[in-house]
Each structure stands twice: as C-alpha cells, then as structure tokens.
C-alpha cells in the first residue's frame, strides 16, 4: 500500500472528525474520545484479522455470529461456575475451531469463502439462539470477568489496551514475518507461491483460524462490557468490519493489504456511528451510512486495483 493511499485514508478520517467536531460540541471531549476507543476495540481487533483474510482474496461473513456465540457461551460458562480465565481460553479455542472448520472447506475442499462463511453466519448464529432461546444471559457484576470490558488502566480503557496489543501483533505479523508475505503472495498469485514450496492451503486455513479467534475475543470483550451474553449481539458487525478493511485500502481482489489503513478505516466507521448519535440523528441512519461507505469503498477499490487484476 502506497504512502499516498495512507495519506488519503488519514485525510478522510480527519475530515470526518472535523465535521462532527463542528456540529457536535461533545465530540472532542476526552470522555467521548475514550468512549470511541473503548467501543471500537472489538471492531479494531476483528478488522485486523479480516485484513489477512481479504488480502488472501477471501472473506469471512461469520465474524458477527462467532462474536454472538462466544459472548453467549462466556456468560453461560460463568453462570455454570467455570473460572473466568478458563472461560477466556475456551472461547478463544472455540472461535479458532470455528475458523479452522470453515478454513478447511475453503482451503482444502475449494468451496468459495463467501458460500462457506455465509453458511457459517447462519449456523453459528442459530447455535447462539438455540442456547439462549432468544434471551440474554447475565454476567455477575462482581465477577472479575467484567474487568475485561469495563476496567481502566493508567487512564486508558482495558479493551483499548487489548486492541492495541492485537493491532501491534497484527502489524508485525503482516509486515515483518513470512506468514504476512505468504498471505500477500497468495492473494496476488497463489500458484506461484505454491510452486515456491509454500503450503498455501495451510496458510489459508491459518488466516481463518485467526479470524475466528479474533471474533471470539471481540465477543468476550462485549460480554464483559455489557454484563451479559446475547444471541442478538453482533448483528451487522461483519459489515462494519468489511467496511473498515476496504475503506482502509485493502484490495477485495487480494494481494494488497494494510493494517495501518485498516486501523484508520475502523476508527472512521466508529467515529461516524458515534457522531450520528451525538448529533441526535436517527440510529437507523448508521447502517445506511455504513452501506454507503462499503459501496463507495468497493467502487474505489475496483477503480484503483482493476488494472493490477487484469495484468495477472
């Protein structure tokens, strides 16, 4: 991703922030800015992992459902008396397992990622609904588990610190490790990477495991922050994630990705949602704006990268 593209993304983010700071006096206050960072933590974590997926030329539509399932099971496990550290580990393993199952069908059975993860979206959400019968499962307010979503450390929300750690790991992995180079290579020319001796199927499976685990972490944070697990959590979350990644400059055709751009894209999506609320606009405008962002971002994505695709 060129420096010019990053500058363009940063400029758009700056314009959005200026717009809402003019029309809403509370936007630039410290409590609101910290609230944006805290609430955008799940989006940042999952968007970072989705960057790997989309860079390979794939997609994961199931992240919102995995978030709901892990949030629900986190609350149910805590009610059953399981210790919160074990709950966190189990949910991460569950998310990774869901990603591995989907990755197997995508990488080894050659079923298109859109179809596999669309089925996953339905099945996993259905499991969450089956477990809860449509009701929320409360989490004891005194449980240390809630600190994951509500605690502060040195004046910074703990979810933001978790997101920062995830983003640093994602950035280093994507830009400084063989896995990151393989991910980019698979998206650009998978056959060439395979002939170079790389197990492209295993790498593809790994990125879906990463996506599932990231969605599980987002579900844990959400359940801890809200104090309950709901099967309705994460409705439309996958659209916000995809909007963040594509708006950030990652090519939907694969072969080009940027973690830094994804961070800016995710923050832009979060700022727009927050700004609309502060401006006392209808909450139903948020999905309309998100959909418009996706459409514009995909259009620009196609215009920018179609030349590269034709040259392959």
């Amino acid at each position: 991703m060129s420096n010019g593209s990053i500058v363009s993304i940063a400029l758009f983010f700056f314009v959005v922030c200026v717009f809402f700071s003019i029309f809403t006096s509370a936007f630039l206050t410290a409590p609101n800015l910290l609230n944006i960072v805290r609430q955008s933590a799940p989006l940042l974590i999952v968007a970072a992992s989705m960057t790997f997926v989309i860079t390979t030329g794939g997609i994961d539509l199931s992240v919102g459902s995995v978030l709901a399932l892990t949030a629900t099971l986190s609350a149910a496990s805590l009610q059953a008396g399981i210790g919160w550290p074990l709950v966190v580990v189990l949910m991460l393993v569950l998310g990774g397992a869901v990603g591995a199952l989907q990755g197997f069908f995508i990488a080894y059975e050659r079923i298109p990622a859109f179809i596999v993860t669309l089925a996953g979206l339905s099945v996993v959400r259905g499991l969450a609904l089956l477990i809860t019968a449509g009701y929320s499962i409360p989490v004891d307010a005194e449980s240390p588990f809630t600190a994951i979503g509500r605690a502060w450390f040195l004046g910074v929300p703990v979810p933001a610190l978790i997101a920062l750690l995830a983003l640093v790991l994602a950035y280093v992995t994507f830009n400084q490790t063989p896995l990151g180079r393989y991910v980019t290579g698979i998206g650009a020319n998978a056959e060439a990477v395979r002939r170079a001796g790389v197990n492209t199927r295993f790498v593809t499976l790994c990125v879906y495991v990463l996506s599932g685990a990231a969605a599980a972490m987002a579900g844990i944070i959400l359940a801890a922050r809200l104090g309950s697990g709901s099967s309705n959590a994460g409705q439309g979350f996958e659209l916000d994630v995809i909007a963040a990644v594509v708006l950030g400059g990652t090519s939907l055709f694969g072969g080009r990705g940027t973690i830094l751009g994804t961070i800016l894209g995710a923050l832009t999506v979060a700022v727009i949602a927050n700004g609309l609320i502060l401006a006392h606009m209808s909450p139903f405008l948020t999905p309309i704006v998100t959909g418009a962002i996706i459409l514009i971002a995909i259009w620009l994505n196609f215009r920018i990268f179609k030349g590269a695709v034709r040259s392959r």
Side-chain angles (χ1 to χ4, degrees), residues 15-252:
V15 170
V16 170
C17 290
V18 170
F19 175 82
F20 284 119
S21 65
I22 292 173
F23 287 95
T24 58
S25 59
F27 178 78
L28 287 180
T29 60
N32 184 61
L33 295 177
L34 288 172
N35 184 52
I36 291 174
V37 174
R38 180 169 64 95
Q39 292 189 345
S40 64
L43 176 61
L44 286 163
I45 292 170
V46 181
S49 68
M50 187 69 78
T51 303
F52 286 78
V53 173
I54 294 180
T55 301
T56 64
I59 196 77
D60 188 350
L61 300 176
S62 68
V63 290
S65 297
V66 173
L67 180 153
L69 179 62
T70 53
T72 297
L73 288 178
S74 294
S77 299
L78 290 167
Q79 278 198 352
I82 301 176
W84 73 268
L86 182 58
V87 169
V88 171
V89 172
L90 289 175
M91 293 307 104
L92 292 176
V93 171
L94 174 62
V98 172
L101 181 61
Q102 294 185 136
F104 170 78
F105 285 109
I106 294 166
Y108 291 91
E109 298 300 324
R110 303 295 188 182
I111 302 176
F114 180 87
I115 301 299
V116 173
T117 59
L118 181 62
L121 178 153
S122 179
V123 170
V124 176
R125 178 76 65 178
L127 286 173
L129 287 166
L130 183 64
I131 291 169
T132 64
Y135 295 98
S136 296
I137 300 177
V139 175
D140 185 356
E142 301 301 321
S143 172
F145 177 83
T146 59
I148 298 174
R150 298 177 180 177
W152 294 66
F153 181 74
L154 299 178
V156 180
V158 167
L161 295 176
I162 297 173
L164 178 61
L165 177 60
L167 292 170
V168 170
L169 290 174
Y171 182 86
V172 172
T173 302
F174 192 86
N175 293 288
Q176 305 294 333
T177 68
L179 177 62
R181 292 191 290 273
Y182 297 157
V183 165
T184 302
I186 289 170
N189 192 330
E191 181 60 20
V193 176
R194 187 189 67 80
R195 291 185 178 184
V198 177
N199 188 339
T200 56
R201 293 183 177 183
F202 180 71
V203 172
T204 301
L205 184 145
C206 286
V207 300
Y208 285 94
V209 172
L210 178 64
S211 180
M217 188 70 245
I220 292 168
I221 292 173
L222 190 65
R225 180 166 64 87
L226 298 180
S228 66
S230 171
S231 57
N232 293 318
Q235 294 278 8
F237 181 69
E238 58 280 343
L239 296 182
D240 289 341
V241 172
I242 294 170
V245 176
V246 177
L247 181 63
T250 295
S251 172
L252 279 172

